[in-house]
């Protein structure tokens, strides 16, 4: 591949990120002059890529979306990341995502080079998804609308149903989406209530971007995940787990899925303490069991009792299976 062709592909890959790219930044990324960038932009336009340019201090280049867009370019790591994400399908919490992800994965794997197909296949063989169970699902179109409004810093209207069943119309400035366990949350500034709020996305309907851009607001927490965790822990709850897990804190935090799943604090190099966000006893027990490490539950006592009952059932089932094998032996 010629140097010019390789540079055009790298430029196109950068432009496919949804943002304005100043010419000076593109030139710095690619190691060329801004004049070369202008010529390369003209070449991309001749090839049918709709590259828009804006003037001013905040201006730059961006790639416009459209039905006539030429094929998307992905580097190796991006292609593998998308394939793995399609396999996991957002934990099966998004309505209809399983069928859609299978269709998209089939299309992607058809065009992957053999070396990448092997990487994706190896990951797929080595991992198993936990069934989602019976819980509310999220409309994928809602997630798309919310994510776009967050990226564009755009006010959003939607209808919302509270836990008690009360319905209301909301005008918000969306900040971040937070995936926690089996649920999705929207962290947003509520304009009518003049305060920050957390909305369950499965209770949200008819999201509509207003087209009004707003300057970013400072969230009263380190990040959106920490904000959701702190607010959830501050509410009156039936169950809150405190457990010691005999494994390094970083490893346990990674398996639990990030700060929204609870606080993991190191006790020493080989153990840590987990303070969870509220959830059902059954799900808390499964999360602990799937960590793959020894653990001790300090509270609540209901969780310890549930684990003892679950362990007893598992032991009896394993004993029965062993007895059946012995009976069948010649």
């Amino acid at each position: 591949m010629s140097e010019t062709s390789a540079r055009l592909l790298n430029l196109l890959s950068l432009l496919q990120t949804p943002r304005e790219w100043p010419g000076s930044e593109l030139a710095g990324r690619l190691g060329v002059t801004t004049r070369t960038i202008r010529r390369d932009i003209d070449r991309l336009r001749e090839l049918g890529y709709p590259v828009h340019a804006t003037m001013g201090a905040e201006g730059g280049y961006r790639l416009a979306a459209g039905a006539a867009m030429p094929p998307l370019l992905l580097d190796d790591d991006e292609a593998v990341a998308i394939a793995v994400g399609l396999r996991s399908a957002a934990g099966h919490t998004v309505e209809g995502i399983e069928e859609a992800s299978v269709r998209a994965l089939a299309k992607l794997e058809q065009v992957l080079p053999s070396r990448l197909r092997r990487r994706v296949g190896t990951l797929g063989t080595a991992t198993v998804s936990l069934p989602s169970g019976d819980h509310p699902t999220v409309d994928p179109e809602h997630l798309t609308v919310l994510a776009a409004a967050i990226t564009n810093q755009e006010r959003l209207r939607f209808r919302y149903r509270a836990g008690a069943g009360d319905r209301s119309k909301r005008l918000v400035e969306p900040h971040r989406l937070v995936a926690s366990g089996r649920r999705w949350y929207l962290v947003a500034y509520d304009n009518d209530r003049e305060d920050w709020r957390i909305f369950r996305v499965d209770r949200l309907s008819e999201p509509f971007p207003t087209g009004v851009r707003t300057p970013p607001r400072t969230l009263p927490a380190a990040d959106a995940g920490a904000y959701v965790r702190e607010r959830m822990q501050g509410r009156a709850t039936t169950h809150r787990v405190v457990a010691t897990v005999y494994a390094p804190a970083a490893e346990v935090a990674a398996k639990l899925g990030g700060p929204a799943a609870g606080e993991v604090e190191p006790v020493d190099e080989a153990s840590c303490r987990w303070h969870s966000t509220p959830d059902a006893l059954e799900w808390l027990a499964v999360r602990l069991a799937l960590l793959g490490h020894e653990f001790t539950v300090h509270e609540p006592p209901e969780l310890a009792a549930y684990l003892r009952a679950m362990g007893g059932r598992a032991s009896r089932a394993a004993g029965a299976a062993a007895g059946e094998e012995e009976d069948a032996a010649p």
Side-chain angles (χ1 to χ4, degrees):
M1 181 181 295
S2 70
E3 180 180 349
T4 300
S5 298
R7 189 177 65 247
L8 284 175
L9 290 175
N10 289 332
L11 175 60
L12 183 57
S13 179
L14 290 173
L15 290 173
Q16 284 176 339
T17 303
R19 52 161 290 191
E20 297 277 349
W21 286 92
S24 57
E25 185 175 351
L26 291 173
R29 292 284 190 108
L30 299 177
V32 296
T33 65
T34 54
R35 183 178 179 182
T36 299
I37 291 297
R38 288 195 295 270
R39 288 201 302 264
D40 288 348
I41 292 294
D42 289 337
R43 291 190 182 99
L44 290 177
R45 287 168 175 162
E46 291 172 0
L47 293 172
Y49 289 87
V51 183
H52 289 185
T54 54
M55 306 298 292
E58 300 298 325
Y61 299 102
R62 64 182 176 85
L63 198 60
M69 177 67 68
L72 180 70
L73 293 177
L74 301 170
D75 63 29
D76 287 5
D77 289 340
E78 290 170 341
V80 171
I82 290 174
V84 173
L86 289 170
R87 285 186 180 275
S88 60
H92 305 294
T93 59
V94 182
E95 182 180 357
I97 197 69
E98 295 90 346
E99 181 182 351
S101 64
V102 168
R103 294 197 307 268
L105 183 60
K107 294 176 182 178
L108 179 61
E109 290 187 339
Q110 283 181 350
V111 299
L112 285 178
S114 59
R115 68 181 188 282
L116 297 186
R117 281 200 300 271
R118 285 194 295 271
R119 287 175 61 183
V120 173
T122 299
L123 285 168
T125 302
T127 58
V128 176
S129 297
L130 181 68
S132 58
D134 184 17
H135 60 271
T137 56
V138 175
D139 188 329
E141 292 187 5
H142 290 176
L143 288 178
T144 301
V145 172
L146 297 178
I150 290 168
T151 301
N152 297 330
Q153 297 180 357
E154 186 175 359
R155 280 182 182 167
L156 189 74
R157 293 187 183 276
F158 56 82
R159 295 180 181 273
Y160 192 69
R161 174 180 54 81
D166 298 334
R167 297 180 182 274
S168 59
K169 295 181 179 179
R170 301 298 181 101
L171 174 65
V172 306
E173 297 171 18
H175 178 73
R176 288 291 185 275
L177 285 167
V178 177
S180 175
R182 299 165 294 164
R183 292 194 175 99
W184 287 80
Y185 298 95
L186 171 66
V187 177
Y189 184 84
D190 192 315
N191 293 100
D192 294 329
R193 291 154 182 81
E194 299 183 343
D195 197 5
W196 289 91
R197 291 289 189 270
I198 299 171
F199 302 97
R200 271 181 47 177
V201 178
D202 60 279
R203 294 177 178 169
L204 181 153
S205 63
E206 301 178 34
F208 178 76
T210 64
V212 177
R213 301 291 182 90
T214 61
R217 293 181 183 270
T218 301
L219 185 71
D223 55 55
Y227 182 73
V228 170
R229 181 184 68 244
E230 292 165 5
R231 292 292 297 270
M232 292 299 183
Q233 289 178 344
R235 297 174 183 175
T237 58
T238 304
H239 303 296
R240 183 174 300 163
V241 67
V242 178
T244 297
V245 182
Y246 300 101
E251 180 181 344
V252 172
K255 289 185 176 181
L256 287 171
E263 181 181 358
V264 179
E265 56 182 8
V267 175
D268 52 40
E269 293 184 356
S271 64
C272 59
R273 189 69 55 85
W274 178 37
H275 302 264
S276 86
T277 52
D279 215 325
L281 282 179
E282 297 83 354
W283 182 243
L284 291 171
V286 170
R287 298 195 84 170
L288 282 167
L290 289 180
L291 289 176
H293 299 289
E294 297 292 324
F295 61 88
T296 300
V297 173
H298 305 291
E299 56 180 272
E302 295 90 347
L303 177 59
Y306 184 87
L307 283 164
R308 283 193 294 270
M310 186 172 70
R313 291 192 296 271
S315 296
R316 289 190 294 274
E324 291 172 1
E325 290 177 0
E326 291 174 0
D327 293 340

